[in-house]
Amino acid sequence: MQKKNDLELLTHGMKGEIRFQEPLSRHTSLGIGGPADVMVIPHDEEDLQLLGPRIQEEGVPVMVLGAGSNLLVKDGGIRGVVIKLSRFRKLKVYPGGVWAEAGVPLPTLLKQGVNEGAEGFEFLYGIPGTVGGAVTMNAGTREGETGPLVRRVRLLTFRGEILEFTGEELEFDYRSCRLPSGIILSTLFRFQRGDKNKIQQRLQTYRERRNATQPLNLPNVGSIFKNPPGNFAGRLIEDLGLKGYRIGGAQISEKHGNFFVNRGGATARDVIGLIKFAGRKIQQERGIVLELEVRLVGRDGP
Ligand code: EPU
């Protein structure tokens, strides 16, 4: 654990909120995760300009947290500083683009975009992340991905510089992009006007499909594994009869094999146990090594 005094110095003079030993279970969609040494909820960009270079100089570990909806935090928690951008929620729709700060929840981006008649945001239906997380991970479904919507991204490096990138420069790929280390501040998305009825119809189709195939009523973290080339992690797990398998409070969803759910009181250790169990079975039986889609961070618990 970092010393509290050192962490206090790091955040000295900031206007935002500072919470020591903040349980990450309060900030992740799975409701799992040990404490962060310190969680900072910066008030504005000025706060970040103050904090970033101090973090860099002191060599303190840092993590930026979005909605915590693609994150599995281990039970021992996270060393150093966790930055939560929940105050960065401004959004503006212009004739040529939708500009959103990094902490804007994707459901808000979708709603505002659709209200203004923007086409191309529909695939976001049901993705619970934030703008910053969606850009970093190139969040998407089979219906679409974040990358092609991105015109520009504004990022603050830990040296305190502001950099701007075009969507093309970020070379979006399956669940990844090329961004230097830093904090995404805002993103400008393409705005293309579409037919409101058709947009609503697509939303309705996606809504029905997701409700039918994904366990959205139980705490989950979306897809656990990436789909391997030419196959689907969910199908592999189902074919091996692993759906419903349980370790402690964690369960491989009965509805979708690539969703692991918290049935109550699950620990990260339970979920990691399930990940290892399913991964090993698929490797043994099918010779496929699955890669994690969920981001696994933190230290093992006691
Ligand atoms: N399938 C099974 N059994 C299962 C689950 C799926 O046989 O238990 C089969 C389905 O029948 C289908 C195929 O596997 O033929 C793919 O399943 P699905 O349509 O549910 O999509 P997915 O590939 O599992 C991807 C994204 C999801 C996104 C959906 C819907 C990845 C890793 N996941 O899932 O994204 O919601 O498509 O478009 O690419 C996420 O990234 O966290 C996420 C939830």
Side-chain angles (χ1 to χ4, degrees):
M1 190 169 61
Q2 304 276 318
K3 286 204 197 87
K4 190 170 174 203
N5 279 354
D6 294 347
L7 294 169
E8 270 168 355
L9 281 177
L10 216 58
T11 54
H12 181 75
M14 287 180 64
K15 300 184 282 295
E17 217 180 305
I18 320 291
R19 301 184 191 168
F20 293 95
Q21 290 303 306
E22 175 72 3
L24 266 299
S25 54
R26 292 186 193 152
H27 302 271
T28 56
S29 59
L30 258 178
I32 289 178
D37 285 346
V38 63
M39 176 177 285
V40 179
I41 304 178
H43 187 264
D44 53 18
E45 224 171 282
E46 216 174 78
D47 266 359
L48 285 173
Q49 292 272 9
L50 208 65
L51 180 66
R54 290 182 188 166
I55 286 175
Q56 170 105 345
E57 272 160 36
E58 300 300 323
V60 177
V62 58
M63 188 184 97
V64 183
L65 176 71
S69 55
N70 192 44
L71 195 64
L72 177 54
V73 180
K74 293 191 190 177
D75 303 312
I78 296 186
R79 282 192 57 216
V81 182
V82 171
I83 301 176
K84 180 154 173 158
L85 296 177
S86 46
R87 296 197 65 124
F88 287 66
R89 289 201 173 167
K90 288 197 210 72
L91 183 150
K92 280 185 197 145
V93 183
Y94 298 102
V98 181
W99 174 86
E101 286 191 314
V104 169
L106 295 178
T108 308
L109 177 69
L110 172 66
K111 191 158 174 259
Q112 301 269 348
V114 166
N115 279 349
E116 300 286 336
E119 185 175 54
F121 290 81
E122 299 91 305
F123 75 90
L124 291 174
Y125 177 80
I127 308 183
T130 57
V131 162
V135 170
T136 311
M137 284 294 293
N138 188 16
T141 67
R142 273 194 287 169
E143 285 80 28
E145 287 184 338
T146 307
L149 280 178
V150 173
R151 279 178 57 187
R152 299 192 78 81
V153 171
R154 204 159 157 267
L155 173 132
L156 178 72
T157 69
F158 291 109
R159 287 193 300 278
E161 299 163 307
I162 298 218
L163 303 179
E164 284 218 11
F165 301 91
T166 62
E168 290 69 32
E169 283 169 334
L170 296 183
E171 296 177 26
F172 288 102
D173 206 342
Y174 179 54
R175 300 294 178 271
S176 72
C177 80
R178 283 170 62 95
L179 256 184
S181 130
I183 302 164
I184 294 180
L185 296 171
S186 61
T187 299
L188 182 65
F189 295 97
R190 284 174 219 289
F191 180 104
Q192 196 185 323
R193 196 169 289 286
D195 179 295
K196 279 202 177 176
N197 284 334
K198 289 203 179 120
I199 294 170
Q200 287 302 340
Q201 274 168 18
R202 276 197 289 272
L203 281 176
Q204 178 68 13
T205 310
Y206 297 167
R207 188 177 299 133
E208 283 166 8
R209 200 181 303 157
R210 287 195 85 126
N211 287 337
T213 59
Q214 300 184 357
L216 303 178
N217 57 333
L218 290 170
N220 71 76
V221 73
S223 303
I224 290 284
F225 296 108
K226 290 183 182 171
N227 284 329
N231 212 327
F232 297 101
R235 181 180 287 167
L236 287 164
I237 289 170
E238 172 162 344
D239 286 351
L240 293 182
L242 307 181
K243 278 165 115 176
Y245 188 85
R246 206 168 158 154
I247 297 182
Q251 187 184 35
I252 299 182
S253 163
E254 286 157 341
K255 209 166 180 183
H256 194 300
N258 200 21
F259 276 63
F260 295 4
V261 293
N262 184 351
R263 303 293 313 208
T267 61
R269 196 193 168 111
D270 296 339
V271 181
I272 292 166
L274 280 184
I275 290 173
K276 288 191 173 148
F277 172 74
R280 212 170 27 236
K281 281 271 186 204
I282 287 165
Q283 187 172 7
Q284 281 165 358
E285 308 274 332
R286 297 292 151 91
I288 296 172
V289 178
L290 290 180
E291 278 178 41
L292 279 187
E293 199 271 346
V294 62
R295 231 176 115 206
L296 179 63
V297 296
R299 292 168 297 177
D300 290 328

